[in-house]
Amino acid sequence: MSELHTKTLSEIAALLQSGDVKVVEVVKHCLDRIEATEPRIKALITVMGDEALKEAEAMDAAGPDPSKPLWGVPMVLKDLLTTKGVKTTCGSKILENFVPFYDATAVARLKEAGAVFVGKANMDEFAMGSSTENSAFFMTANPWDVERVPGGSSGGSGATVAAGQCFGALGTDTGGSIRTPSSFCGIVGLKPTYGRISRFGLIAYGSSLDQIGPMTRSVEDAARLLQVMAGHDPKDSTSVDVEVPDYLAGLGREDLKGVKIGLPEEYWGEGLDEEVKEACAGAVAQMQKLGAEAVPVKLALTEYAIATYYIIAMAEASSNLSRFDGVRFGYRNKKAEELIDMYTASRTEGFGDEVQRRIIMGTYVLSSGYYDAYYNKAAKVRRLLRQDFDKAFEQCDFIAGPVCPTTAFVKGDKADPLQMYLMDIFTISANLAGIPAMSLPVGLGKDSAMPVGLQLMGPAFCEAEMLSVAERLERALPPLSIPEL
């Protein structure tokens, strides 16, 4: 079956459980696909070929296991999720040779469900970026056009799924880092409610913002991965102990009657490329044809979201990254004679420009004399942003809009950091509010011929309903194929 890589995760899982294909066959196919496409895409920092094949052989010898919903399915992990015995770099020189001795909870749950990991995905260093141009190792290319970025910071995860190197990947989303690459690469990406998936083993950027989520080629696939990973974890104090619903049960609905879709004017106006607006508006029109009602809503504080987000995120980054000092683990400058010189040299040489920029800004807003003026005020605005969403959800069930103002841009086109930060204008509010949000591919831009993603946002812990609505819309839209490489 030479076209195995075109199958969805759900399709390949069914073939494996039925015995129609062997795990070794599927894993070898993915590794061959990686070998054929990696020279152009550069999605993976680490390829786990030998380990994956050894595991596949053992699984085939034991036979299919119906109790494991991901039995034998090849997957990729973003390289900031700790993986026992496998190098985990965060896309940074400072962790270039770090090998964890434990698995992140999300990783462990996927393993327990039978997933086989074939690689660790490239990313913006410590998840700081929107294009995967900030990796310490190399840039990742968009499979739809290798001259363009795949989005970030989970660009490697987005590119590996879009290129057919695996059947699903994990990303993390601090301000849009799952949704942006999903939009740019034409796949499905879900950022769950904060606390829905354990953050244990996630090397943090912004602890109150980061969330792990699935990146797949269909909504059903995303639901399957969420089903495995969701649930309370006593190892994570931010994990919420609420019941996990059956995310697959609501799929396959006939229509969208009774569903109210909110359209915030702040997401549909100035600064939005016409081709993105047209594709997203067409998807909303399709939802209306299926019976949904579109209603205008206000998210008046959207204009303050960028400033609020970057103050909070950079403050948390400054705190989280203080542990990388060259003493306990990670890169160390061995030439310095004094301790302070060793600290300075190790961090200067180990961190890239963007990480250093965010640490400096974060330290500034937390410093004496500026804490109240910046961080404390941003925390108050964050609460008001959450109230904005609460009011909007009194009028609608979900909010719809574009994921990004543009389709994937050419590498180097957003050299100005402020330009890059503004790419997150539609995504960061969901992280500040802690609500679930997802990107669904809705077509190609008329001018760029690049994928466009529609963003859906909903109230906390509404993932089951959101997936149900997204899957119905997905069936009504022409599917995107895997791009030629």
Side-chain angles (χ1 to χ4, degrees):
M1 299 179 72
S2 60
E3 299 301 312
L4 278 176
H5 64 277
T6 64
K7 303 290 185 185
T8 66
L9 182 150
S10 299
E11 290 170 342
I12 208 71
L15 288 171
L16 286 163
Q17 287 285 0
S18 67
D20 290 340
V21 294
K22 297 293 185 182
V23 182
V24 167
E25 180 185 355
V26 176
V27 169
K28 279 185 176 178
H29 186 86
C30 287
L31 293 174
D32 289 344
R33 181 73 178 171
I34 288 169
E35 185 178 2
T37 58
E38 265 303 275
R40 301 191 71 201
I41 303 302
K42 295 186 180 300
L44 305 176
I45 292 176
T46 301
V47 177
M48 300 156 62
D50 293 340
E51 302 95 321
L53 284 172
K54 186 176 180 181
E55 187 175 353
E57 289 169 357
M59 296 176 88
D60 280 335
D65 186 345
S67 70
K68 296 183 175 182
L70 302 177
W71 187 82
V73 176
M75 290 188 60
V76 163
L77 303 169
K78 187 175 180 179
D79 205 25
L80 50 52
L81 296 169
T82 56
T83 315
K84 185 177 181 180
V86 180
K87 190 168 66 171
T88 301
T89 71
C90 282
S92 178
K93 182 178 178 181
I94 210 160
L95 286 178
E96 187 172 6
N97 297 307
F98 174 57
V99 179
F101 58 87
Y102 67 96
D103 285 323
T105 295
V107 174
R109 289 179 177 176
L110 290 178
K111 278 186 177 179
E112 289 167 8
V116 178
F117 301 125
V118 295
K120 302 293 291 287
N122 194 28
M123 56 180 284
D124 285 304
E125 185 179 6
F126 282 98
M128 298 182 189
S130 302
S131 63
T132 316
E133 293 174 287
N134 293 331
S135 171
F137 306 118
F138 45 80
M139 292 185 192
T140 295
N142 192 312
W144 289 86
D145 180 349
V146 294
E147 297 303 316
R148 296 177 184 258
V149 301
S153 62
S154 306
S157 297
T160 191
V161 173
Q165 295 179 347
C166 63
F167 297 95
L170 293 193
T172 64
D173 195 310
T174 307
S177 291
I178 286 174
R179 288 160 288 159
T180 298
S182 294
S183 176
F184 283 6
C185 293
I187 63 172
V188 174
L190 171 66
K191 181 205 87 70
T193 306
Y194 186 80
R196 172 52 89 189
I197 293 177
S198 170
R199 292 174 51 254
F200 179 76
L202 160 62
I203 300 174
Y205 159 23
S207 299
S208 73
L209 301 161
D210 299 335
Q211 266 296 278
I212 299 167
M215 302 174 73
T216 60
R217 290 201 290 275
S218 77
V219 175
E220 181 183 356
D221 293 352
R224 288 185 185 279
L225 294 185
L226 181 62
Q227 194 73 60
V228 168
M229 294 186 290
H232 181 248
D233 177 16
K235 295 177 182 177
D236 174 16
S237 63
T238 65
S239 174
V240 180
D241 190 6
V242 296
E243 183 181 354
V244 177
D246 185 341
Y247 294 115
L248 295 168
L251 305 185
R253 63 190 296 164
E254 292 185 6
D255 54 46
L256 297 180
K257 290 178 181 177
V259 177
K260 288 188 176 182
I261 304 297
L263 304 178
E265 61 184 64
E266 295 82 2
Y267 285 33
W268 292 87
E270 187 179 351
L272 181 61
D273 274 12
E274 194 58 39
E275 64 173 352
V276 174
K277 184 175 183 178
E278 185 176 329
C280 290
V284 172
Q286 186 63 58
M287 295 173 84
Q288 291 176 289
K289 287 181 182 177
L290 292 168
E293 178 186 355
V295 298
V297 296
K298 286 284 290 181
L299 293 174
L301 293 178
T302 298
E303 63 179 300
Y304 302 107
I306 289 279
T308 301
Y309 170 81
Y310 277 101
I311 288 171
I312 291 172
M314 291 181 187
E316 294 184 2
S318 171
S319 177
N320 281 323
L321 271 61
S322 64
R323 72 194 71 180
F324 302 107
D325 54 11
V327 176
R328 290 159 290 185
F329 54 87
Y331 175 80
R332 176 190 292 188
N333 177 285
K334 297 179 180 178
K335 296 179 181 179
E337 296 182 1
E338 299 293 332
L339 184 62
I340 188 64
D341 295 332
M342 189 273 287
Y343 285 158
T344 303
S346 296
R347 288 168 67 83
T348 300
E349 295 166 10
F351 290 135
D353 290 345
E354 183 61 30
V355 174
Q356 291 186 45
R357 181 183 296 116
R358 297 193 189 199
I359 289 173
I360 291 169
M361 293 177 68
T363 303
Y364 178 81
V365 301
L366 288 175
S367 61
S368 177
Y370 296 100
Y371 179 90
D372 286 335
Y374 292 103
Y375 184 80
N376 197 30
K377 189 172 290 184
K380 292 177 181 178
V381 175
R382 180 182 192 173
R383 181 60 189 167
L384 294 174
L385 277 164
R386 176 62 186 263
Q387 291 174 359
D388 245 7
F389 277 102
D390 290 342
K391 290 176 183 176
F393 290 130
E394 290 174 2
Q395 305 169 57
C396 65
D397 299 302
F398 302 99
I399 289 170
V403 174
C404 296
T406 70
T407 55
F409 50 88
V410 175
K411 295 174 184 176
D413 196 40
K414 306 286 184 186
D416 178 1
L418 185 57
Q419 271 191 312
M420 190 70 78
Y421 298 164
L422 290 171
M423 289 297 295
D424 299 332
I425 184 64
F426 300 140
T427 55
I428 53 179
S429 293
N431 298 80
L432 289 167
I435 60 174
M438 68 181 296
S439 174
L440 180 72
V442 293
L444 301 179
K446 185 179 293 185
D447 299 323
S448 66
M450 294 297 290
V452 176
L454 178 76
Q455 179 174 215
L456 293 177
M457 295 182 282
F461 301 106
C462 76
E463 288 89 351
E465 296 83 0
M466 181 184 289
L467 289 163
S468 174
V469 168
E471 191 268 344
R472 183 62 190 93
L473 175 59
E474 179 183 60
R475 282 188 280 124
L477 297 171
L480 294 184
S481 59
I482 290 179
E484 295 291 333
L485 289 167

